C-alpha cells in the first residue's frame, strides 16, 4: 500500500497520511480520557473523533455516543456535566443532579479531585504509552546488529564485485587490515575514519574459513532516508539513491557528502545520482538547520536532508524484551527533553521560530514518511504522539495541563476556582491556542 498509493496524487497522499496519523493519535489520547474516566466512575456522554457535523454515530450500552465528525483535526470526550469539549461546567445540568449524590458522582465536576485529575492526565499518558510501545515494537522486530558485524542483504550500488566480493553471511573481522571493534564500543568512529575509496578489502569468515575479499565502501553515499520538508525531498531525491559525484567530483563515502554540504557556504550543489542503473543530475541548495546537541544547546549547520546507510543491511538478533522496552522509554524521553530544549531556545531567541511547525508542516512530514515505507510512517506516529502528549501538558487553560493546574489549586486551596474566573481563563487559553495555531501555520507557509 505504501509503495503504490503515493503514485496517485501527491496532495491526496499527504492528506491521507496526515489524517491516518492524526486520527490514530487523537483516538488513543481521547480513549485514555474515556477509559480512565470510566474506571473512576465518571460517565462519558460523547466520544468524538473530529469536530463539526457528525458523519457517523452510534450509542453503546452505557449510553455513550461514539461519533466521527467532518473535521478530523482533533477530538474530544464530553463527560457528564460538561458544557463543551473543553470541559467547561454545564450549570444547568449540574443543578439538575445537585440533589442526587449518585448522579452527581457520575459527572466530571462532581467526581472526587483524584478521579478528575487521573482522567485528565490519562490522555497525554496514553500518548506516551503509544510512543513507548511503537519504539519497543520497532526495536524488537527489527532487532539490533549482530556482533561481530555480519552481512545481511547487499544494497543496490553502482559498483559490482561479482561472486568473489563481499556477500551475504560474511562475518567481517577486519577492513583494510584494521580489526573491526565491537559494535557496542563507546565512541566507536572506526567506520567513519576509513579512507574514502571506491572499494575496501574485507577480511571475513565465510563457511568457517577466513578470506580476504573486496567490497564497496561500508558507508557509501547511499540515501537511506529523506528528511521531510528538506532540500533533498524538494529536489526529488529518493531513498535508495546513491550520490556518485558532487559538482563533478566523484565521491565514495557518505562523509564526503557531509563535507561538501558543510563547505558549500549555502551555494547550490550539483549532484550526480545513480538510481537503479540510471544516472540523473539534481541541483539543490543546502539549508541552515538548528540541530540539538548532547549538552542541550543547538548548533546551526548546513544540511540537504538525507540520512545515510550501510552498503548492506546487517544481520540482526532480537534485543530482548527488557532492552527493547528501555529503548522505547529512552526514545520517548529524548523527544520530550528535546522538545523542552527547543521551546526554551525559541523563546530566548537562540534558534529561529521557523522550527515550530503547524498543521501544514505536520501533514507534509506525514506524507513524506509514509512514502518511505510503513516502518518510517509508524515511527513518525510515535514521535508525533509524544509531541502531542507533551503539548497537552502545557499549563494553558483548555489544555489538559491547564486543567491539572486548576486541580492543583483546588488541592491547595480546598476549593475549585470561581466559575466566572474559570470561564475567563478558558477564553484566554483558547485565544492562546488559536494564536499559536495561526503563528505555526504562518511558519508553514512563509518560513
Amino acid at each position: 500500500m505504501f509503495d503504490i498509493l503515493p503514485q496517485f496524487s501527491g496532495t491526496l497522499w499527504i492528506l491521507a497520511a496526515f489524517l491516518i496519523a492524526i486520527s490514530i493519535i487523537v483516538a488513543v489520547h481521547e480513549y485514555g480520557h474515556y477509559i480512565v474516566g470510566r474506571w473512576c466512575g465518571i460517565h462519558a456522554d460523547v466520544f468524538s473523533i473530529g469536530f463539526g457535523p457528525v458523519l457517523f454515530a452510534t450509542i453503546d450500552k452505557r449510553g455513550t455516543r461514539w461519533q466521527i465528525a467532518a473535521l478530523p483535526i482533533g477530538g474530544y470526550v464530553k463527560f457528564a456535566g460538561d458544557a463543551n469539549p473543553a470541559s467547561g461546567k454545564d450549570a444547568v445540568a449540574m443543578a439538575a443532579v445537585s440533589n442526587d449524590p449518585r448522579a452527581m458522582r457520575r459527572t466530571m465536576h462532581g467526581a472526587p479531585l483524584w478521579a478528575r485529575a487521573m482522567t485528565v492526565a490519562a490522555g497525554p499518558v496514553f500518548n506516551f504509552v503509544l510512543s513507548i510501545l511503537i519504539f519497543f515494537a520497532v526495536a524488537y522486530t527489527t532487532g539490533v546488529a549482530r556482533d561481530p558485524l555480519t552481512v545481511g542483504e547487499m544494497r543496490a550500488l553502482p559498483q559490482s564485485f561479482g561472486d568473489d566480493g563481499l556477500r551475504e553471511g560474511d562475518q567481517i573481522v577486519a577492513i583494510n587490515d584494521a580489526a573491526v571493534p565491537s559494535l557496542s564500543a563507546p565512541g566507536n568512529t572506526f567506520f567513519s575514519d576509513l579512507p574514502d575509496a571506491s572499494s575496501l578489502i574485507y577480511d571475513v569468515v565465510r563457511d568457517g574459513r577466513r578470506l580476504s575479499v573486496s567490497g564497496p565502501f561500508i558507508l557509501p553515499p547511499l540515501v537511506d532516508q529523506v528528511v521531510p520538508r528538506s532540500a533533498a525531498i524538494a529536489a526529488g531525491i529518493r531513498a535508495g539513491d546513491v550520490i556518485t559525484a558532487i559538482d563533478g567530483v566523484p565521491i565514495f563515502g557518505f562523509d564526503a557528502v557531509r563535507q561538501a554540504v558543510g563547505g558549500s557556504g549555502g551555494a547550490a550543489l550539483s549532484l550526480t545520482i545513480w538510481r537503479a542503473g540510471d544516472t540523473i543530475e539534481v541541483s539543490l541548495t543546502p539549508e541552515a538547520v538548528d540541530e540539538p546537541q548532547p549538552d542541550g544547546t543547538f548548533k546551526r549547520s548546513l544540511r540537504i536532508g538525507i540520512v545515510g546507510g550501510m552498503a548492506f543491511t546487517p544481520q540482526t538478533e532480537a534485543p530482548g524484551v527488557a532492552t527493547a522496552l528501555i529503548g522505547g522509554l529512552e526514545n520517548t524521553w529524548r523527544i520530550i527533553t528535546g522538545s523542552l530544549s527547543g521551546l526554551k531556545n525559541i523563546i530566548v531567541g537562540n534558534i529561529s521560530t521557523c522550527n515550530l511547525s503547524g498543521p501544514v508542516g505536520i501533514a507534509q512530514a506525514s506524507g513524506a514518511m509514509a512514502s518511505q515505507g510503513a516502518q518510517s510512517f509508524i515511527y513518525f506516529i510515535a514521535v508525533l504522539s509524544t509531541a502531542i502528549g507533551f503539548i497537552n501538558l502545557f499549563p494553558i487553560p483548555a489544555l489538559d495541563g491547564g486543567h491539572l493546574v486548576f486541580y492543583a489549586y483546588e488541592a491547595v486551596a480546598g476549593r475549585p476556582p470561581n466559575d466566572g474566573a474559570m470561564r475567563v481563563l478558558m477564553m484566554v487559553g483558547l485565544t492562546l491556542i488559536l494564536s499559536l495555531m495561526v503563528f505555526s501555520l504562518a511558519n508553514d507557509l512563509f518560513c
Side-chain angles (χ1 to χ4, degrees):
M1 180 184 73
F2 285 92
D3 290 336
I4 297 172
L5 286 182
Q7 300 174 15
F8 291 116
S9 171
T11 302
L12 288 177
W13 171 248
I14 289 172
L15 182 60
F18 172 70
L19 292 180
I20 291 170
I22 207 71
S23 295
I24 291 171
I25 293 168
V26 167
V28 169
H29 179 97
E30 299 304 336
Y31 188 76
H33 288 314
Y34 164 78
I35 193 63
V36 172
R38 199 179 91 186
W39 292 339
C40 293
I42 303 173
H43 175 71
D45 290 334
V46 180
F47 183 107
S48 180
I49 300 298
F51 297 93
V54 176
L55 303 178
F56 169 80
T58 185
I59 299 177
D60 67 15
K61 62 182 181 181
R62 293 183 177 85
T64 300
R65 178 186 175 93
W66 297 75
Q67 65 184 39
I68 297 175
L71 300 175
I73 54 173
Y76 63 90
V77 178
K78 181 179 177 295
F79 290 101
D82 287 345
N84 50 54
S87 288
K89 184 186 292 186
D90 186 337
V92 175
M94 294 302 295
V97 297
S98 59
N99 295 322
D100 186 346
R102 291 185 63 184
M104 176 68 79
R105 175 61 180 81
R106 296 180 75 238
T107 68
M108 184 64 163
H109 304 277
L113 179 60
W114 64 266
R116 286 177 277 145
M118 287 184 65
T119 300
V120 168
V125 168
F126 269 53
N127 280 135
F128 297 145
V129 170
L130 173 64
S131 300
I132 292 167
L133 290 177
I134 289 177
F135 289 135
F136 162 80
V138 170
Y140 191 75
T141 57
T142 303
V144 295
R146 183 174 295 170
D147 200 357
L149 182 61
T150 305
V151 179
E153 182 181 357
M154 295 296 298
R155 307 288 292 271
L157 297 171
Q159 307 98 321
S160 177
F161 295 90
D163 294 336
D164 295 330
L166 196 65
R167 66 170 69 165
E168 181 178 350
D170 286 347
Q171 189 179 96
I172 301 175
V173 178
I175 302 177
N176 282 6
D177 294 327
V180 176
S182 170
L183 299 178
S184 59
N188 188 353
T189 61
F190 175 81
F191 299 115
S192 59
D193 291 340
L194 290 169
D196 189 12
S198 60
S199 64
L200 300 173
I201 301 300
Y202 293 82
D203 289 347
V204 303
V205 175
R206 178 186 296 170
D207 299 328
R209 295 182 301 141
R210 181 161 176 158
L211 305 171
S212 290
V213 299
S214 59
F217 192 83
I218 194 166
L219 297 174
L222 168 71
V223 180
D224 196 47
Q225 191 177 69
V226 186
V227 178
R229 306 186 73 203
S230 64
I233 207 163
I237 294 178
R238 306 174 188 170
D241 287 350
V242 180
I243 302 171
T244 58
I246 298 180
D247 288 337
V249 179
I251 60 170
F252 305 102
F254 192 84
D255 197 54
V257 180
R258 190 179 293 111
Q259 292 176 11
V261 171
S264 68
L269 297 173
S270 177
L271 276 57
T272 303
I273 291 177
W274 181 89
R275 177 181 294 168
D278 296 327
T279 300
I280 61 175
E281 298 290 332
V282 169
S283 180
L284 50 71
T285 302
E287 300 171 343
V289 177
D290 296 311
E291 296 181 328
Q293 303 301 303
D295 61 358
T297 61
F298 280 75
K299 179 182 178 182
R300 176 155 289 195
S301 305
L302 290 173
R303 295 287 184 261
I304 60 174
I306 59 173
V307 179
M310 299 183 76
F312 53 85
T313 56
Q315 288 190 6
T316 61
E317 56 190 6
V321 173
T323 301
L325 185 58
I326 291 171
L329 289 165
E330 289 177 343
N331 279 339
T332 302
W333 180 246
R334 190 179 300 115
I335 296 168
I336 294 172
T337 55
S339 299
L340 279 170
S341 177
L343 185 63
K344 182 190 76 173
N345 280 276
I346 287 176
I347 292 172
V348 300
N350 289 337
I351 62 176
S352 170
T353 57
C354 286
N355 286 281
L356 188 65
S357 293
V360 174
I362 295 172
Q364 291 175 333
S366 300
M369 298 305 287
S371 66
Q372 296 182 54
Q375 182 172 308
S376 295
F377 183 57
I378 292 170
Y379 199 90
F380 173 75
I381 289 175
V383 174
L384 189 57
S385 182
T386 300
I388 288 177
F390 168 72
I391 290 171
N392 268 278
L393 288 176
F394 284 7
I396 298 175
L399 292 180
D400 296 331
H403 287 290
L404 292 174
V405 170
F406 294 147
Y407 296 154
Y409 170 86
E410 183 177 345
V412 173
R415 57 181 174 79
N418 177 271
D419 286 347
M422 285 280 288
R423 284 192 291 270
V424 172
L425 289 172
M426 284 291 186
M427 289 302 299
V428 171
L430 287 171
T431 301
L432 286 172
I433 294 168
L434 289 173
S435 299
L436 181 62
M437 289 180 65
V438 171
F439 181 76
S440 60
L441 181 60
N443 280 353
D444 291 339
L445 299 177
F446 302 114
C447 277

